[in-house]
Amino acid sequence: MPGLIAERVDPKVVAERARNLDPIVLVAGTNGKTTTTSFVARLLRARFGPPVINASGANLHQAVATTLILKRGDPRRRRPAVFEVDELVLPRLATEVRPSVIVLTNLFRDQLDRYGEVDVVVRRWRGMAATLASTTTLVYCADDPRLEMLARSVSGRTMTFGLDWSEHVNLRESTTAADPVACIVCGAPLRFSARSIAHLGRFACPDGHVVAKTPDIAGRLDDSGETPCIVLRSSLGTASFPTPVASTGGVYDAAAAAAVGVALGMSLAEIAAALDLAPGAFGRHETIEVHGRRVHLTLGKNPASLADLAVFASRDPAATVLLALNDAAPDGRDVSWIWDADLAPLFAAPTVVLSGSRASDLALRLKYGPTPTATGRTIILEPDLGLALDRAIGAAEVGDRVLVVATYTALLRLRARLERRGVAARPPT
Amino acid sequence: MTAAVRERVGAEVVAGREPTAGRDADAASGARGAPVATIRVVQLFPDLLNVYGDGGNVRALVARSNARGIAVQVGEVRFGHRSIPPADLYLIGGGQDREQVTVASELSRLGAELSGRLEAGASLLAVCGGYQNLGRSIRTRESTIAGPGILPVVTDATGDAPRFVGPIAVRSPTWIAFAGASSAARAGMPGASRTVVGFENHGGRTYLDATAEPFAWVDVGFGNNGEDGWEGVVVRHSGGGLLIGTYLHGPMLPRNPHVADALIDAALRHAKVDVALEPLDDRLEWEAHETYLRRLRTQEHARRRIPRWARRYVDPVRGLIGF
């Protein structure tokens, strides 16, 4: 609200307030924004002191303005800042605050009811990329063909991150119908020799117009030991650190943050120390204990994030699964994406609870498969989120895990319920 | 065991591998004795047009056929393929503008062959981008893209007007509603088959030829162009084929079982098998259908500012209750 008023009074308020911030990092993309932002914030704190951050989800222009006004601090002191920015807001904010680094995490199909189509975002970003200040480094995912094609129009400094494809990557072959991506030059569908999540992977145009680059910062997950570790590698060496975010998405987020660190002059060892056991964002891979059951909250909002969660779920096949699908505006009113997502590993759980305002769509999705034909499974259809949570917890044995996969508003409501029960901590403000 | 068949077929479609003709039919015969029939379904360009869960349409067709002992062979035509294989039913989905341009150039090679197969009696479900692509032309700001004219429509994508985005309910054509009536009644929702529901998301405005038959008329939503109240197009060739072009995705068939069965029926006729489709337990399907309608009602009540006390008497989807 203060942001809205201030912008009415002085449209340049964001540009002015941003002047005593240095360095500024903007994070945009479909998945992993919030976790990447929290990782970058840790790096900035370690190197430059406490950063200015916008609250999770408050990523529209006004919300960023509000953050800048309320958290201004001493105007004579330089502070670092990192902002999670909505895809369509990024171009405007980038020209106003002249960031040191812009991170593009990935571009998946998401909220088509809001954007129309992914290419709308691509076009806006291409315009921005062509006019970037020479002081800005663009950090992007080398495994994302849309971003690789976009980066062709950047004249300034770029830096890439991605998975460490040279190592044996323990990936479950992604069966998710990836968004079709066509070559920017000839229009032929790109071919993939390997894939991680949806259309992220090693891609090439059949005629060689576009080819995936080797990422400058490559990450992989090492879960051979007791605690899973993320191993980062660059041309300068390697470093590893233990992590609670043991998913492919988490590796991408850590590699993205590390690329920002390197762009700002940090060493890999310094980065690894700062990210040691860094938790994911609030509600993302957060484990809360309820009556001896470990309730593991995750955000599943598009086929790409579900593909990542499917890998995660297959590591603990005994877990009870609660799927919650809402269709309010922040979730995306169009739920057709559940038909493009690989839900089989989640549906394979001994007990599956389906919930949310569109629980019946999940039930239909489960009915039409492909569904594992395991016998003795229990499937519970309970649209009410609170009751569904109770039933999921009730179905799990003490010591077992309840994996919650929920869309944005469903996740907030489920977490709020856990808070009211006094088992979850209030989110930091 | 039928479920196992469904799973394999479904998995195959999702993974987007080359089709293996005959394998699925064999699997079905192992499961339930000899299949009473086999139908062939071919997806057109799933590698280019596949952004709105359209794969769910294939799953619905396969599952609903298998449940009646009908085997389904699923094939694909991808970018660069040289011909359109024969099939009883073709499906084409929605995509983005850029991919649609590529599809248009592919159709300039393959359109005549597809058109011939449809005139000979094969059926078609074309959704959103595929619906536009199979029409006569798509006019964009840069150029006019010619289509094969399989569907008697033209699309205008030149305007700056906002996209048509949102849930949509249309009045289903009488013959589809009638066919679905018993299924809906058995599910405890008599009358539900009077509608077809889905989600629309398109910038282009589509106009029908003067003599063309619309698929349905719009109860709530935008439809073809937001002006004439029509949604989609239907073409019935003398060969017996049923061609539907529509903007409804979401995907359309799982929660509109009456439309799915109409297409299976048409495919069976083309396969020259005389099988009556036995009714299935469609309670979940109609429940999902109703969820859509409830959403639409709430949204429309608010938009039309209908006072709270009157809301139970006014159904924006089906008019006044009792009339």
Side-chain angles (χ1 to χ4, degrees):
Chain A
M1 194 62 176
L4 174 70
I5 297 165
E7 289 213 288
R8 285 274 163 82
V9 177
D10 178 7
K12 291 208 191 91
V13 65
V14 167
E16 271 162 28
R17 291 284 172 178
R19 229 180 273 156
N20 67 332
L21 299 176
D22 184 54
I24 298 177
V25 180
L26 301 182
V27 182
T30 314
N31 287 0
K33 276 195 292 279
T34 311
T35 300
T36 303
T37 304
S38 80
F39 285 173
V40 170
R42 282 179 163 255
L43 299 183
L44 293 178
R45 188 183 305 271
R47 177 77 183 218
F48 304 96
V52 176
I53 318 166
N54 57 338
S56 155
N59 55 17
L60 296 176
H61 197 268
Q62 279 166 22
V64 174
T66 304
T67 307
L68 284 171
I69 290 158
L70 296 183
K71 299 190 181 169
R72 75 183 145 190
D74 183 351
R76 284 158 303 180
R77 255 188 60 220
R78 287 199 164 275
R79 288 181 71 187
V82 54
F83 298 117
E84 171 193 336
V85 186
D86 178 81
E87 286 88 309
L88 293 183
V89 170
L90 176 67
R92 180 176 164 201
L93 208 60
T95 51
E96 283 180 350
V97 306
R98 300 184 151 261
S100 311
V101 184
I102 293 177
V103 186
L104 306 180
T105 58
N106 48 52
L107 252 185
F108 295 120
R109 168 167 40 125
D110 184 41
Q111 302 212 350
L112 289 176
D113 58 314
R114 213 178 124 223
Y115 299 138
E117 49 179 53
V118 180
D119 280 350
V120 171
V121 180
V122 174
R123 277 197 291 276
R124 299 266 187 100
W125 283 9
R126 187 167 294 132
M128 172 194 79
T131 57
L132 276 185
S134 58
T135 50
T136 302
T137 304
L138 185 77
V139 169
Y140 70 94
C141 180
D143 296 346
D144 189 330
R146 288 203 183 98
L147 296 182
E148 181 57 51
M149 293 192 273
L150 185 91
R152 293 159 71 100
S153 47
V154 179
S155 51
R157 202 156 84 104
T158 62
M159 183 155 229
T160 59
F161 65 91
L163 288 196
D164 192 342
W165 298 94
S166 65
E167 292 286 325
H168 170 69
V169 186
N170 186 18
L171 291 175
R172 189 171 168 280
E173 171 72 23
S174 172
T175 55
T176 307
D179 309 4
V181 181
C183 170
I184 194 173
V185 181
C186 65
L190 297 178
R191 295 200 182 132
F192 286 79
S193 58
R195 268 191 183 149
S196 54
I197 304 171
H199 67 259
L200 301 189
R202 299 284 89 189
F203 53 87
C205 159
D207 291 333
H209 297 124
V210 183
V211 181
K213 281 191 191 134
T214 307
D216 296 327
I217 306 291
R220 71 184 165 90
L221 192 65
D222 175 9
D223 51 4
S224 55
E226 186 120 315
T227 321
C229 284
I230 290 175
V231 184
L232 297 172
R233 196 167 57 80
S234 78
S235 56
L236 298 174
T238 64
S240 82
F241 58 92
T243 182
V245 194
S247 65
T248 310
V251 175
Y252 274 114
D253 298 342
V260 175
V262 171
L264 295 175
M266 295 175 77
S267 71
L268 276 189
E270 220 178 325
I271 290 164
L275 294 182
D276 197 295
L277 284 175
F282 147 76
R284 272 75 147 191
H285 288 285
E286 183 181 16
T287 304
I288 295 166
E289 192 157 311
V290 186
H291 301 310
R293 282 87 170 169
R294 289 170 297 142
V295 178
H296 191 86
L297 298 178
T298 61
L299 178 68
K301 57 176 184 172
N302 49 36
S305 57
L306 278 183
D308 192 22
L309 291 172
V311 182
F312 185 81
S314 58
R315 282 205 213 111
D316 189 359
T320 299
V321 168
L322 166 60
L323 277 163
L325 178 66
N326 273 1
D327 66 350
D331 304 298
R333 288 178 299 150
D334 181 7
V335 299
S336 60
W337 60 268
I338 63 169
W339 291 86
D340 293 325
D342 179 14
L343 290 168
L346 297 172
F347 286 160
T351 304
V352 182
V353 185
L354 308 175
S355 186
S357 59
R358 297 299 285 274
S360 60
D361 283 75
L362 283 173
L364 207 53
R365 175 70 180 79
L366 189 146
K367 178 175 175 180
Y368 282 160
T371 315
T373 44
T375 50
R377 282 188 312 143
T378 314
I379 290 159
I380 299 168
L381 182 60
E382 175 52 70
D384 184 275
L385 288 169
L387 295 177
L389 184 61
D390 291 345
R391 296 198 69 173
I393 292 169
E397 302 285 331
V398 172
D400 278 358
R401 195 202 292 266
V402 177
L403 177 62
V404 177
V405 177
T407 56
Y408 191 70
T409 63
L411 182 66
L412 291 187
R413 292 196 50 190
L414 286 167
R415 201 184 180 288
R417 191 174 169 91
L418 291 170
E419 254 172 55
R420 274 201 303 279
R421 286 173 151 208
V423 286
R426 301 222 169 259
T429 45
Chain B
M1 283 305 278
T2 320
V5 177
R6 186 193 309 156
E7 181 187 343
R8 276 189 39 199
V9 176
E12 203 158 69
V13 172
V14 173
R17 267 173 254 136
E18 284 284 317
T20 45
R23 220 177 82 200
D24 307 323
D26 296 345
S29 61
R32 282 181 66 140
V36 293
T38 301
I39 55 174
R40 297 160 300 172
V41 174
V42 165
Q43 274 184 291
L44 302 173
F45 309 113
D47 51 342
L48 290 163
L49 303 177
N50 184 16
V51 297
Y52 296 117
D54 298 320
N57 288 334
V58 183
R59 291 214 183 100
L61 290 168
V62 171
R64 298 185 69 78
S65 299
N66 286 173
R68 288 140 165 158
I70 301 163
V72 182
Q73 291 175 14
V74 181
E76 290 178 351
V77 174
R78 298 184 149 231
F79 177 82
H81 282 198
R82 288 205 201 111
S83 66
I84 304 279
D88 304 306
L89 174 59
Y90 295 90
L91 300 175
I92 185 165
Q96 306 200 64
D97 298 351
R98 207 151 55 90
E99 278 80 16
Q100 274 188 270
V101 173
T102 311
V103 168
S105 82
E106 290 293 279
L107 281 173
S108 66
R109 293 189 296 121
L110 299 168
E113 193 183 8
L114 176 62
S115 180
R117 296 205 185 277
L118 292 168
E119 272 160 34
S123 295
L124 167 79
L125 176 65
V127 178
C128 204
Y131 168 37
Q132 297 177 347
N133 264 125
L134 291 180
R136 294 192 198 290
S137 66
I138 306 172
R139 210 149 57 86
T140 69
R141 236 167 286 171
E142 294 86 38
S143 62
T144 297
I145 305 164
I150 288 168
L151 299 173
V153 300
V154 292
T155 298
D156 181 358
T158 55
D160 275 326
R163 291 175 75 93
F164 289 151
V165 184
I168 172 170
V170 300
R171 198 70 54 93
S172 59
T174 321
W175 45 280
I176 287 181
F178 186 72
S182 69
S183 154
R186 279 158 46 90
M189 287 169 222
S193 71
R194 279 186 288 171
T195 41
V196 177
V197 295
F199 199 95
E200 60 181 329
N201 184 345
H202 54 105
R205 270 60 168 163
T206 298
Y207 299 88
L208 270 57
D209 283 7
T211 54
E213 180 189 347
F215 169 63
W217 69 85
V218 179
D219 281 323
V220 183
F222 300 100
N224 283 342
N225 48 48
E227 297 161 28
D228 57 24
W230 286 345
E231 206 298 309
V233 69
V234 169
V235 176
R236 267 176 281 219
H237 280 304
S238 49
L242 167 63
L243 280 55
I244 299 177
T246 178
Y247 275 117
L248 271 62
H249 69 82
M252 184 205 208
L253 297 183
R255 63 177 72 83
N256 294 294
H258 44 340
V259 183
D261 283 356
L263 287 168
I264 295 172
D265 214 30
L268 284 170
R269 256 178 293 153
H270 183 250
K272 306 259 185 315
V273 256
D274 188 20
V275 186
L277 291 184
E278 55 191 84
L280 301 175
D281 178 357
D282 287 336
R283 278 175 299 179
L284 274 179
E285 285 78 354
W286 292 114
E287 175 53 37
H289 190 103
E290 274 298 321
T291 306
Y292 246 102
L293 293 180
R294 274 197 295 273
R295 272 261 172 283
L296 276 163
R297 281 191 197 108
T298 318
Q299 185 183 310
E300 280 298 295
H301 279 146
R303 198 178 64 82
R304 296 191 200 171
R305 294 167 192 250
I306 291 168
R308 216 163 273 280
W309 62 266
R311 289 188 180 181
R312 54 190 293 216
Y313 302 107
V314 182
D315 181 350
V317 180
R318 295 189 188 126
L320 291 171
I321 301 264
F323 288 90

